[in-house]
Amino acid sequence: MSTQGELLEDAFFHNDRERIRAVKNLKSGQMFLAHYTDAQNLFRILEGKSVFLRNARTLGDYTEIDHGFRLIEKAVGSPSGERLSGAITSIWPNYSLRTIWDLFVHNHMLKIREETYVFSMCEHPVSGKARDFGRLSMWRCYGGASRPVALVINPFRSSFIQSDAVGMYTFPVEYVVPDGDGDDGLENWILREFCAIADVLVSNRSQLSSVDPAIAAGYMMRSFHLMGVRSKHKAFEEEKEWRVVWTPYLAGPLPPGAIEITNYFGYPQKILRLNLGPYSGDGTTSIDLSLNNILHKVLIGPASDADLVRHSVIAKLEEAGVRDAASRVEITNIPLRTSGSRP
């Protein structure tokens, strides 16, 4: 029989556990993650042996966090929300889904909006043309004079699946249509999650009845939190994004020196540094984020001087101590479209 803690985890984080469990069942080489950037930032990563998590408000779509929370607000008042609310009230009579949502908004929303930091990656195809070329939509974000590159990461050799020792966690993004619930709500993962939570609560009502109501409400608020930072407009679904996230009340303590104020991408901002090296912690599994361990390859995107960029990247990798650097750098040979090119 599951413990109360296990039941609460299974109930309130059903989607997270299922998605990450599916990834864990894959074998090494069956999934890669790619971080698209430009050569200048790649050199910054290699010289500092670290990547930066940026404030969610500086993302390409700075409304993304608000987008997720607007979806939850709508879902709370939906039939799926009413179903979950009934399940909660049947066990903890002083709480409803609306009560817990209002507590979350009042006590946590502002801090989450201001202090959530993200490092983004996309699922990288393991077969077909896209394996060699990358995602064209992402190259378009970094094309032209920026000398675009992509770091292709092997997540099975790193903490990009489990990050307890680092204090940062990795989640797949879920994509949602902002208006309407799709076919009976099937397109909206938040509604599906509400129903899944309700099912577990109803099935285990007797075992959960002795759980402190405030603890149960805390789990529901953590679920709201994750839904908000993991939801994105369905128009971006082809990106298949995963996010390394540090966010208040969910992630662990940051290591010394992780927070920096720097001029990054043209303007001053606070960033969080994730060092690329070995980690270990009390009660956690040791993990190795070193470049030699996690870097599968570097792709050179569309650029007029791709060969020169490749030679520079190889030199920088060698300076950073990366073994077999030349074999890890590939030119995609995607034609560069200039501003005067025909569509």
Side-chain angles (χ1 to χ4, degrees):
M1 180 179 291
S2 299
T3 66
Q4 286 183 340
E6 290 170 338
L7 284 176
L8 291 169
E9 290 283 336
D10 282 335
F12 291 103
F13 308 110
H14 172 80
N15 178 276
D16 303 282
R17 294 168 71 90
E18 290 299 312
R19 285 289 303 270
I20 294 175
R21 185 181 295 120
V23 171
K24 287 181 180 178
N25 288 335
L26 297 175
K27 296 179 181 178
S28 182
Q30 291 183 314
M31 177 184 173
F32 295 99
L33 298 172
H35 175 65
Y36 289 81
T37 186
D38 58 36
Q40 181 180 3
N41 191 49
L42 171 61
F43 292 170
R44 184 185 289 114
I45 290 170
L46 296 177
E47 290 165 0
K49 293 186 179 178
S50 60
V51 296
F52 294 155
L53 281 71
R54 301 176 65 198
N55 192 289
R57 293 178 295 173
T58 68
L59 298 176
D61 179 3
Y62 60 88
T63 66
E64 285 182 7
I65 299 297
D66 284 343
H67 171 74
F69 289 137
R70 284 196 301 271
L71 292 168
I72 299 170
E73 170 71 39
K74 182 177 180 181
V76 167
S78 71
S80 298
E82 293 173 2
R83 177 181 171 188
L84 174 55
S85 188
I88 291 171
T89 303
S90 71
I91 304 174
W92 304 285
N94 292 330
Y95 284 94
S96 67
L97 189 63
R98 172 62 64 179
T99 301
I100 299 171
W101 172 247
D102 289 344
L103 287 170
F104 176 79
V105 171
H106 179 75
N107 294 324
H108 303 300
M109 183 83 80
L110 180 61
K111 184 71 171 178
I112 293 167
R113 282 173 169 162
E114 291 181 345
E115 295 294 334
T116 293
Y117 295 83
V118 175
F119 176 79
S120 295
M121 298 173 288
C122 299
E123 292 184 22
H124 186 76
V126 298
S127 61
K129 294 180 180 179
R131 176 193 60 190
D132 301 318
F133 298 150
R135 296 186 181 277
L136 188 58
S137 61
M138 299 305 297
W139 289 131
R140 284 172 174 158
C141 292
Y142 297 98
S146 63
R147 277 62 178 186
V149 298
L151 286 80
V152 182
I153 302 298
N154 185 346
F156 298 91
R157 295 179 179 173
S158 72
S159 74
F160 286 122
I161 299 302
Q162 286 185 308
S163 307
D164 290 351
V166 185
M168 301 174 187
Y169 301 92
T170 303
F171 304 104
V173 167
E174 300 286 355
Y175 298 90
V176 189
V177 177
D179 297 313
D181 296 331
D183 298 330
D184 298 323
L186 294 179
E187 298 239 357
N188 190 325
W189 84 279
I190 294 175
L191 299 181
R192 294 199 305 271
E193 189 74 346
F194 277 6
C195 292
I197 295 171
D199 288 344
V200 176
L201 294 181
V202 169
S203 299
N204 297 277
R205 181 183 294 124
S206 59
Q207 192 173 350
L208 293 173
S209 60
S210 60
V211 172
D212 186 327
I215 292 176
Y219 271 89
M220 189 68 243
M221 283 191 274
R222 286 174 59 201
S223 188
F224 286 147
H225 192 162
L226 285 175
M227 290 176 187
V229 301
R230 289 184 50 210
S231 294
K232 195 169 183 175
H233 195 291
K234 198 171 180 66
F236 300 103
E237 188 170 21
E238 63 91 21
E239 294 176 358
K240 298 185 182 302
E241 183 181 352
W242 285 67
R243 291 174 171 174
V244 181
V245 176
W246 188 92
T247 187
Y249 318 115
L250 285 179
L254 291 168
I259 300 175
E260 294 185 19
I261 307 295
T262 185
N263 187 23
Y264 195 60
F265 281 90
Y267 59 95
Q269 57 184 283
K270 183 165 74 172
I271 56 92
L272 300 185
R273 182 185 293 272
L274 172 59
N275 290 321
L276 300 179
Y279 286 83
S280 62
D282 294 340
T284 62
T285 303
S286 297
I287 51 178
D288 186 1
L289 277 182
S290 64
L291 286 164
N292 272 312
N293 193 46
I294 68 172
L295 183 62
H296 177 59
K297 66 174 66 174
V298 176
L299 295 179
I300 310 298
S304 59
D305 50 2
D307 190 56
L308 292 176
V309 175
R310 178 178 182 271
H311 285 295
S312 298
V313 169
I314 291 171
K316 280 293 185 181
L317 287 172
E318 290 173 343
E319 285 181 10
V322 176
R323 297 185 296 270
D324 304 317
S327 66
R328 302 196 200 208
V329 185
E330 298 180 4
I331 298 175
T332 61
N333 288 314
I334 298 173
L336 173 64
R337 283 185 170 180
T338 63
S339 58
S341 299
R342 296 178 59 187

